Amino acid sequence: MDMGARAVRSRDAVRGGFIAVLLAAVAVSASGCLGPSAVAVDPDGLPGTYRDGETGGEIRLHVNGRFSVSGIEGSDLWWHGGAASVDFGGTWSTTSSSNFVYLEPDDTSGGQGLGDIQLYTASPRKVFLHPDVDGPVTLELAKVTNP
């Protein structure tokens, strides 16, 4: 009979451990330790200049559907990008969910051979780059000017 009592205690300990791990995961997620999450914003409020306070790198979304990138490392834009800063332009458009913006580089503006870039919206005044969905957010930019 003692063996049965030990087995019950072991199952209870496993259940208790599982609940502790589950609660810890919820706490980490709620605290924002996993990085910003994308939220829907009004596309009309997106145009403006977004800047990284540390590097000075910028993404400008122009009212006419054009964008320009300056001083942002390639590794912040693409999971296979390099450490060198890149400057290029192209067109931008919102998605139906309005929680990210497609940046489509022009072939002639320094963005040769690059695929579309997803610029996620964290709020009407903050955007972020997250090129590898299994990796961390690479860069957060705050809106510093309107068009």
Side-chain angles (χ1 to χ4, degrees), residues 27-144:
V28 166
S29 178
S31 72
C33 290
L34 298 177
S37 58
V39 298
V41 298
D42 179 8
D44 293 336
L46 288 171
T49 301
Y50 297 84
R51 183 177 299 135
D52 176 51
E54 290 181 34
T55 66
E58 291 184 347
I59 296 177
R60 293 177 186 220
L61 300 178
H62 304 282
V63 177
N64 64 358
R66 301 284 302 159
F67 77 88
S68 59
V69 170
S70 62
I72 293 182
E73 290 185 8
S75 58
D76 288 329
L77 297 164
W78 307 278
W79 64 269
H80 60 283
S85 290
V86 294
D87 298 327
F88 62 93
T91 58
W92 68 274
S93 60
T94 58
T95 62
S96 60
S97 64
S98 296
N99 65 353
F100 68 88
V101 174
Y102 274 119
L103 303 180
E104 301 172 65
D106 292 337
D107 287 338
T108 59
S109 71
Q112 294 92 339
L114 305 175
D116 294 348
I117 300 162
Q118 294 178 358
L119 180 66
Y120 293 90
T121 53
S123 75
R125 302 207 46 84
K126 186 180 270 188
V127 296
F128 63 94
L129 295 164
H130 192 210
D132 178 0
V133 294
D134 294 326
V137 167
T138 57
L139 192 65
E140 293 182 49
L141 302 109
K143 193 170 194 179
V144 293

